[in-house]
Amino acid sequence: MIRRIAWASALISTSWAAAAIAGEELVSSFTLGNGMQVVVVEDHRAPVVQHMVWYRAGSADEPKGQSGVAHYLEHLLFKATENLESGEISATVAANGGKDNAFTSHDYTAYYQRIASDRLELMMSMESDRMVNIRLTERDIETEREVILEERNQRTDNNPRALFREQSQAVQYHNHRYGVPIIGWRHEMETLDMEDALSFYGTYYAPNNAILVVSGDVDPDEVNRLAEQYYGVIPANPDLPERLRTEEPPQTAARRLTFKDARVAQPYVQRSYLAPERDSGAQEQAAALFLLAELLGGGTTSYLANALQFDQQTAVYTGAFYSGMSLDDTTFSFLIVPSEGVSLQEAEDALDQTYAAFLEDGVDADQLDRIKLQLRASEIYARDNVDGIANRYGRALTSGLTVEDVQAWPDILQAVTAEQIIAIAKQVLQPEVSVTGWLMRDEEVTQ
């Protein structure tokens, strides 16, 4: 087992960043001597804390041929450590009235506990232990490999929509690892072994590759003291590799796919475009794309819904989606579910015509103002959720953004103009970077 010595000399020097207020969020950030970043978001309205450790390592960081190993390792970290029995972390959290879990994405893996704030030290002691002291058996390897394969069965292989999305993603990304499913390709998942899991663990599970986010009823000085005590004594990994990914080559041709499955209950058309993500210090393009998605397909009052669902009645559902929270280029996508008697080709044509009309008409100023007002309201409501707050900062920081970027985002959204939205639409939503997919039944007529 690759194991670093947990109880090394304490690296007690910390670099404090000034606490900043984002609206009503009081945020403090500091860095331990071993390189671990710590972010504290105070909210003293309830005696609850969310303790999260985020690793800058997800499925897009996996070695070729080992797809799914990041998610596999996530499962394995609920097994035994040198100091805890298998399942003891979750059992201890539950016994103390809390909730715990973990999740893996393309860009990160995160572990969390939500619990009474006076149990924070207990959470840190256990979480810091599994950062370095994992103890696996061959039985663990075999059992959890079967678990993740069954998870793939249930969530992907038995769901035609999930299979369609998986294939669409693979077509969108020819060279980048975002084209590989987070859970992994089945034939590679079946070969994952002890060496694969421990190699990924030894490479990426280190304090200088981790971010601790604590939100809720906590004092930053106390969090700093505890973080130094439990995480600060873990040595950094001096061999942590630079986070380099294979880049997507210029996309110069529109791509199409047709996915047929007898289990499809409702055929639909999906189109995605390669799009820029939120970049640190330069989030304006992403903000314009976010608002473009809201205007075009953000609910029953959106442009697509009014045109296709209510006026023309060619669709029973329309949507536009953009998530800029990723380390590398993301996607902007449309989804159109045609009405009874409307073919997929007719639905696709209606989408094209309606989008062209939107560019011609321009942004409805009143609708844009309403969306911005709703975003302000949602930001206020979000402060009531310590889970959501910690997730917002963790996802951002593991995706290349900073605390300052997170704080600036609401005001950047409010400053976006109608002209910027139309300009980014014309710049990004180009046919040569698009993938158009039809999900259909085996007997579906294509024309």
Side-chain angles (χ1 to χ4, degrees):
M1 175 186 294
I2 300 174
R3 179 172 176 246
R4 296 180 297 280
I5 303 302
W7 297 105
S9 297
L11 299 172
I12 61 174
S13 63
T14 61
S15 145
W16 281 85
I21 297 177
E24 294 180 4
E25 286 179 0
L26 185 59
V27 184
S28 303
S29 177
F30 54 91
T31 303
L32 304 183
N34 57 12
M36 186 174 189
Q37 184 178 2
V38 182
V39 175
V40 183
V41 188
E42 295 179 66
D43 183 349
H44 301 287
R45 290 175 293 175
V48 177
V49 65
Q50 179 97 349
H51 171 266
M52 305 192 76
V53 172
W54 298 72
Y55 293 94
R56 296 183 183 91
S59 64
D61 300 293
E62 297 165 339
K64 289 186 176 180
Q66 296 179 25
S67 66
V69 70
H71 174 247
Y72 183 37
L73 180 61
E74 174 212 312
H75 278 245
L76 290 169
L77 255 72
F78 287 86
K79 300 299 182 180
T81 71
E82 294 293 341
N83 303 299
L84 297 166
E85 295 301 321
S86 181
E88 186 174 347
I89 292 179
S90 294
T92 302
V93 173
N96 283 271
K99 173 184 176 183
D100 79 315
N101 213 329
F103 48 88
T104 305
S105 184
H106 282 118
D107 296 317
Y108 52 75
T109 308
Y111 301 81
Y112 73 89
Q113 300 88 32
R114 186 175 186 182
I115 201 163
S117 52
D118 62 358
R119 303 295 195 275
L120 178 60
E121 182 172 2
L122 177 60
M123 299 304 104
M124 284 201 190
S125 68
M126 294 190 298
E127 194 64 71
S128 61
D129 184 48
R130 70 172 165 186
M131 180 180 284
V132 286
N133 293 327
I134 188 174
R135 188 183 74 219
L136 299 175
T137 66
E138 283 298 336
R139 180 174 177 81
D140 293 333
I141 293 297
E142 295 172 5
T143 300
E144 289 307 311
R145 188 169 54 224
E146 290 304 314
V147 169
I148 62 170
L149 286 167
E150 181 57 28
E151 187 174 331
R152 182 179 168 91
N153 274 340
Q154 294 180 3
R155 296 185 179 182
T156 304
D157 296 338
N158 288 329
N159 185 339
R161 290 172 300 179
L163 289 169
F164 174 59
R165 287 192 299 268
E166 184 177 81
Q167 292 298 313
S168 297
Q169 192 84 348
V171 173
Q172 182 75 74
Y173 293 97
H174 278 188
N175 197 48
H176 195 281
R177 294 288 290 179
Y178 286 171
V180 177
I182 294 169
I183 198 167
W185 299 116
R186 171 173 285 277
H187 67 284
E188 292 183 348
M189 295 167 67
E190 290 172 340
T191 68
L192 293 174
D193 58 20
M194 178 83 78
E195 182 180 353
D196 298 331
L198 291 181
S199 176
F200 198 82
Y201 178 71
T203 300
Y204 294 109
Y205 279 57
N208 52 323
N209 197 45
I211 302 165
L212 171 64
V213 182
V214 180
S215 64
D217 185 26
V218 291
D219 175 72
D221 290 331
E222 179 65 7
V223 174
N224 177 39
R225 183 187 70 80
L226 292 173
E228 289 285 4
Q229 179 179 348
Y230 290 102
Y231 294 105
V233 296
I234 302 173
N237 178 9
D239 300 318
L240 182 69
E242 187 177 353
R243 203 171 192 191
L244 296 176
R245 273 96 173 268
T246 53
E247 294 186 13
E248 191 68 15
Q251 297 190 1
T252 57
R255 303 165 186 175
R256 300 187 66 90
L257 75 152
T258 299
F259 189 91
K260 295 184 177 183
D261 194 305
R263 300 169 295 179
V264 171
Q266 177 63 69
Y268 60 80
V269 178
Q270 176 181 294
R271 177 179 296 151
S272 62
Y273 300 83
L274 200 65
E277 76 284 5
R278 286 170 61 179
D279 288 321
S280 183
Q283 300 182 87
E284 289 75 15
Q285 281 192 334
L289 286 167
F290 181 88
L291 289 170
L292 175 64
E294 290 296 311
L295 287 162
L296 282 170
T300 56
T301 61
S302 66
Y303 195 91
L304 290 176
N306 281 324
L308 299 181
Q309 293 177 237
F310 303 121
D311 292 344
Q312 301 175 28
Q313 297 186 0
T314 56
V316 295
Y317 174 81
T318 59
F321 310 94
Y322 171 76
S323 176
M325 197 70 80
S326 65
L327 190 63
D328 301 312
D329 280 349
T330 183
T331 56
F332 186 105
S333 59
F334 295 110
L335 194 151
I336 307 296
V337 180
S339 300
E340 186 70 28
V342 176
S343 71
L344 294 176
Q345 184 63 63
E346 290 169 335
E348 183 181 336
D349 292 343
L351 168 63
D352 291 336
Q353 293 161 8
T354 304
Y355 175 63
F358 170 80
L359 294 181
E360 183 68 25
D361 293 342
V363 172
D364 183 302
D366 291 337
Q367 179 72 349
L368 180 57
D369 288 342
R370 282 193 294 272
I371 290 172
K372 288 182 177 181
L373 184 61
Q374 291 167 354
L375 289 174
R376 279 295 191 200
S378 67
E379 291 158 14
I380 294 171
Y381 297 142
R383 294 173 189 147
D384 293 331
N385 185 346
V386 295
D387 179 14
I389 291 170
N391 271 278
R392 177 154 40 90
Y393 281 93
R395 284 186 292 114
L397 294 171
T398 50
S399 300
L401 300 176
T402 65
V403 169
E404 292 73 23
D405 291 324
V406 177
Q407 295 170 342
W409 179 247
D411 289 337
I412 292 174
L413 285 171
Q414 295 297 321
V416 172
T417 66
E419 292 74 19
Q420 289 173 315
I421 293 171
I422 295 299
I424 198 67
K426 292 179 178 179
Q427 175 186 334
V428 173
L429 274 59
Q430 294 293 325
E432 58 267 23
V433 296
S434 71
V435 174
T436 303
W438 289 5
L439 175 66
M440 56 201 304
R441 304 183 189 95
D442 282 338
E443 73 278 5
E444 193 76 22
V445 178
T446 59
Q447 297 295 334

